[in-house]
Amino acid sequence: MTRLPNMQLCALLVSLGMAGAQAADIRDTACKTTAQCQAEANALSGRVTKDATSARALAQDQFYWLGRINMASTTMLMEEGIIAAPLGKPIAEGVLHSIQQADSPGGKRPKDVLQIERIISEKAGAQATLIHSGRSRQDMLATYRAAHLRTAVLDTADAMLEARQTLIDFAAANVNTYVPAYTNGVQAQPVSYAHYLLAFADSFARDGQRLRELYARLNLSPMGTAVLANSSWPLNRQRLANLLGFDGLVVNSYDAGQVISYDVPIEAANLVGSSAIRVGAMLEDLHTQYHQSRPWILLDTSQTYTSSAMPQKQNPGIIQGARIKATDVVALAHWATLRAHNVTPGMTDYKEEVPRTYVSAVEMFNQFVTVLKALKVDPKRSLEELNGDWTTSMELAETLQRLHGVPFRVGHHFASVVVTDARKNNWRPNQFSYARATELYAEAIRHEGLKDTQFPLSEPIFKATLAPDDMVRTRVGIGGPQPAEVNRMLGLARAALASDRAWLAERNARLIEAQAQLNQAFFKLLEK
């Protein structure tokens, strides 16, 4: 066998029209450092790893929130007269020093309450410990964890909204794209791709509702409950809650530090675990297309990568990476649940790290969006796929019943006979002759013991009944795949999305407002 030189081989590939179907080749990357090389390899294979759900979440770490809690405590204690007026300014200066020193060369960002208190005391003296009146490390850390998870939930809501937007936009572009729908892994009926995509968009809209309901239970302040039995100081807990951006209080002081600290985080973890299962299911559907030699939906080739050994392969790394991330989220949700299982109240084992689940959830939704935006649909190929099987056989039975009163089970038997005969002869629906249908109908009617053996459908109606695109267009039920109904559902999906975006904007604005209120109230102490 004659071997072609490389240049001739490349020319041949171009002449065969294969040049436009080139996957990314990691050899073409121009990385100059180890970090750059890893980042480029990660992009091709769909790997994403972050340290927090957002830049805001990364900046608002435990040290940040303990500083905000110290600011709020100082403000409230001064307002309530629990700290004497002459001490207010020096204590406030000590709190401000503890926050500002962290940004200085050699500054410290400790996570421990007592270590931060020591830094405050370096500036304000022992009297600074008065800000600990009526509080404990228990309620302070419970407050930090609630605030930290609150941010993670809002960041995840934002990422989920982007996924919903992408699904809705993709659906709007595919109202008249007809694709197979499957049950038990077998082609069942035709639908529009928009109908399919909106099903997932609607499921994430329900997750949006769940996130809002979760947020209402999560955004309650434990601050001011001390350890278990509260304290002898008449703290203004509602003022603390307002200054720290909480919408209300965890009323029971035992609940605040020992119970809500894991029942709401477990709910939070498993909420995104549920989302991940559906993200994984849709990604699996997409990934299955790569099993076919002629798929009807694929990634843009710029988002695939080459095999190191097999030139024909275009590996869907970003789908694989997103599926892995979805699995991580499910695993982390279980981890949060198991970590809290059978742990005595009062221990800390179950109270930390749930936001880690949300870091992976944000990454998952981001990767999911990347996949969706890279998808290329071939409507002709998907219709060809439908025409290659008998997904409209139920429609044949329904048409006989709807137009001519043929009992459904009789029509079902006839349709089954037609499919069996077609598969025996390797006929597709659009190849099945009207004459043969007439013969089989007469046999089926006699089999059922009925007398009128004349096939009641005209040839044009029979042919239309077997056409997948015609079946989709002629649906009439609420929620069906017919274009008019899909367009109506698109409108509902967009309205729900807009409502959820407004809710998220309002929540974030409320936190910004609380941040400003705390700053204003605290810095007033420094003016006295």
Side-chain angles (χ1 to χ4, degrees), residues 262-263 265-271 330-343 350 352 354 357:
Y262 67 102
D263 92 89
I266 288 172
E267 177 187 1
N270 284 282
L271 193 162
V330 174
L332 285 165
H334 285 300
W335 172 83
T337 303
L338 291 172
R339 197 170 195 235
H341 172 64
N342 206 28
V343 176
Y350 51 78
E352 298 184 66
V354 170
T357 311

Side-chain angles (χ1 to χ4, degrees), residues 22 32 49 61 67 90 103 154 191 252 258 268 289 309 330 332 343 388 407 413 449 520:
Q22 181 146 358
K32 296 179 181 179
T49 303
D61 59 3
D103 295 325
L154 294 178
V191 295
N252 185 295
Q258 310 304 327
Q289 287 288 314
V330 174
L332 285 165
V343 176
H413 173 70
Q520 183 180 25

Side-chain angles (χ1 to χ4, degrees), residues 144-332:
Y144 151 67
R145 289 169 186 143
H148 192 50
L149 181 54
R150 170 178 73 189
T151 300
V153 167
L154 294 178
D155 290 340
T156 302
D158 189 40
M160 188 184 293
L161 286 169
E162 181 64 21
R164 285 168 61 188
Q165 181 74 68
T166 307
L167 283 166
I168 291 167
D169 291 345
F170 199 17
N174 286 280
V175 173
N176 295 302
T177 299
Y178 306 108
V179 302
Y182 299 83
T183 59
N184 299 299
V186 180
Q187 272 201 50
Q189 286 188 329
V191 295
S192 71
Y193 199 44
H195 188 245
Y196 171 91
L197 292 167
L198 284 176
F200 283 94
D202 286 351
S203 84
F204 296 129
R206 290 190 291 274
D207 284 340
Q209 293 174 343
R210 294 179 184 111
L211 279 173
R212 293 197 304 273
E213 293 165 1
L214 166 69
Y215 190 86
R217 287 184 283 276
L218 167 63
N219 199 35
L220 300 175
S221 174
M223 196 59 214
T225 58
V227 185
L228 301 169
N230 222 313
S231 77
S232 60
W233 293 102
L235 304 185
N236 188 338
R237 291 190 59 206
Q238 188 60 57
R239 177 62 168 158
L240 288 171
N242 293 341
L243 291 172
L244 294 170
F246 290 97
D247 296 325
L249 303 176
V250 183
V251 176
N252 185 295
S253 61
Y254 191 96
D255 184 18
Q258 310 304 327
V259 182
I260 198 172
S261 53
Y262 67 102
D263 92 89
V264 168
I266 288 172
E267 177 187 1
N270 284 282
L271 193 162
V272 289
S274 171
S275 300
I277 289 172
R278 277 166 281 123
V279 169
M282 185 172 173
L283 290 169
E284 185 177 6
D285 266 1
L286 295 173
H287 210 172
T288 301
Q289 287 288 314
Y290 278 81
H291 297 183
Q292 300 187 33
S293 58
R294 296 181 60 234
W296 55 264
I297 185 166
L298 286 171
L299 295 169
D300 185 279
T301 53
S302 65
Q303 296 294 323
T304 62
Y305 66 93
T306 57
S307 164
S308 64
M310 295 159 282
Q312 85 283 3
K313 291 191 68 185
Q314 296 177 5
N315 295 319
I318 60 173
I319 294 179
Q320 294 168 183
R323 287 185 70 181
I324 290 169
K325 189 61 66 174
T327 301
D328 288 347
V329 175
V330 174
L332 285 165

